Amino acid sequence: MYVDSHCHLNFPELAADLPAILDRMAANQVTHALVVSVNMPEWPGLMSLVEPHANLWASVGVHPDYEDTPDPSPEELARLSEHPKVVAIGETGLDYYRLSEPLDWQRERFRSHIRAARDTGLPLIVHTRSSAEDTVRMLREERAAEVGGVMHCFTETWEVAQAALDQNFYISLSGIVTFKNAQIVHEVAAKVPLDRLLIETDSPYLAPVPYRGKLNDPSKVIHVAEKIADLRGIPVADVARASTENFFNLFNKIKK
């Protein structure tokens, strides 16, 4: 049994094919998927997509890459998170890869999301790119360890992973772990404690080998688990069991 801890099924290229994707998930023993919010204008549509399906869940939040979009207050995020299908705050975080300073608006957005998570007790879904030092620092400053969360689509060093683990965060690996040149991610996959590991697709992006370059969806998360198992020298069933249990432990608003 597998779970996709981070996907974007509401994006047009996947939403249009949702019945077939759900069928492929079932065929590949992918029992649940968390559909992650990236902005507020699209959030009602995301909720309309997940509400009819017992195995689809949602978050609420604004991705750090979205510059010209409404910024919800911590109070608004907390109010929206009362929906029974919302199990996390995010995705949030910092991304300095595409955008240049001044980025105070991005850092303030991150702080607002952390505060909403602490107010609600829901875990954070954190995105970090070219910003690991500031991300870890701000998590400490805002006491994110009180609620914890997940560092999604993790591509940083083992040292950054350790800093996140120390703050009550899980590490989630995507299809990048199957890429031949992803040596840093391979090291993390081999070292992260099994009881702090999650797997994801981040679909429609980052399709794992042997589908690299093609459209991704949650049914392909099995290939992430297989690569992690290979790197650790353990049965894939162990990765499946641990990552699924971790998913329900972290996103504990979900009832099995």
Side-chain angles (χ1 to χ4, degrees):
M1 187 170 80
Y2 302 88
V3 170
D4 186 353
S5 69
H6 192 114
C7 63
H8 301 285
L9 285 175
N10 61 311
F11 284 16
E13 54 268 60
L14 296 183
D17 196 34
L18 184 60
I21 290 171
L22 293 172
D23 286 345
R24 289 197 295 272
M25 287 171 59
N28 286 281
Q29 301 180 70
V30 181
T31 61
H32 295 73
L34 178 52
V35 185
V36 176
S37 172
V38 295
N39 63 37
M40 299 315 299
E42 296 176 12
W43 189 76
L46 185 160
M47 296 307 298
S48 295
L49 182 142
V50 304
E51 282 172 340
H53 302 285
N55 63 336
L56 300 183
W57 300 83
S59 69
V60 59
V62 183
H63 191 292
D65 240 2
Y66 284 63
E67 188 170 4
D68 297 316
T69 194
D71 260 327
S73 67
E75 293 76 18
E76 183 179 1
L77 288 168
R79 177 178 61 80
L80 294 173
S81 74
E82 292 175 0
H83 191 291
K85 279 280 191 176
V86 174
V87 300
I89 302 294
E91 69 185 277
T92 183
L94 300 174
D95 192 324
Y96 299 165
Y97 183 74
R98 294 186 183 89
L99 303 173
S100 56
E101 295 287 354
L103 292 174
D104 290 341
W105 61 268
Q106 194 182 92
R107 289 183 280 270
E108 186 54 38
R109 176 184 293 170
F110 188 24
R111 291 188 190 278
S112 291
H113 282 66
I114 300 171
R115 290 165 188 168
R118 289 178 52 227
D119 288 344
T120 61
L122 292 179
L124 283 157
I125 300 171
V126 175
H127 167 111
T128 183
R129 190 174 187 191
S130 303
S131 58
E133 183 177 349
D134 279 1
T135 299
V136 170
R137 174 180 58 82
M138 290 179 63
L139 289 172
R140 289 196 185 106
E141 289 175 354
E142 296 292 336
R143 308 199 310 277
E146 292 179 10
V147 290
V150 55
M151 305 296 283
H152 110 88
C153 193
F154 194 81
T155 57
E156 302 295 336
T157 64
W158 172 238
E159 288 70 29
V160 175
Q162 286 179 302
L165 292 167
D166 288 344
Q167 294 193 68
N168 197 25
F169 275 72
Y170 290 72
I171 303 298
S172 182
L173 301 177
S174 70
I176 292 174
V177 76
T178 69
F179 299 172
K180 186 176 181 180
N181 62 350
Q183 296 301 318
I184 291 174
V185 180
H186 294 170
E187 180 186 6
V188 171
K191 289 183 175 181
V192 64
L194 264 186
D195 63 356
R196 303 293 287 282
L197 172 71
L198 293 173
I199 56 176
E200 64 172 271
T201 60
D202 202 13
S203 52
Y205 312 117
L206 303 175
V209 175
Y211 300 98
R212 188 172 181 180
K214 298 180 180 179
L215 191 66
N216 198 9
D217 71 62
S219 70
K220 297 179 175 63
V221 78
I222 183 173
H223 299 284
V224 177
E226 288 172 344
K227 181 61 177 181
I228 294 169
D230 179 62
L231 290 165
R232 299 177 75 103
I234 61 176
V236 68
D238 290 355
V239 176
R241 187 180 309 108
S243 59
T244 298
E245 183 175 333
N246 295 340
F247 177 84
F248 288 109
N249 286 341
L250 177 61
F251 303 110
N252 55 27
K253 193 172 169 180
I254 303 173
K255 306 304 179 187
K256 292 185 184 180

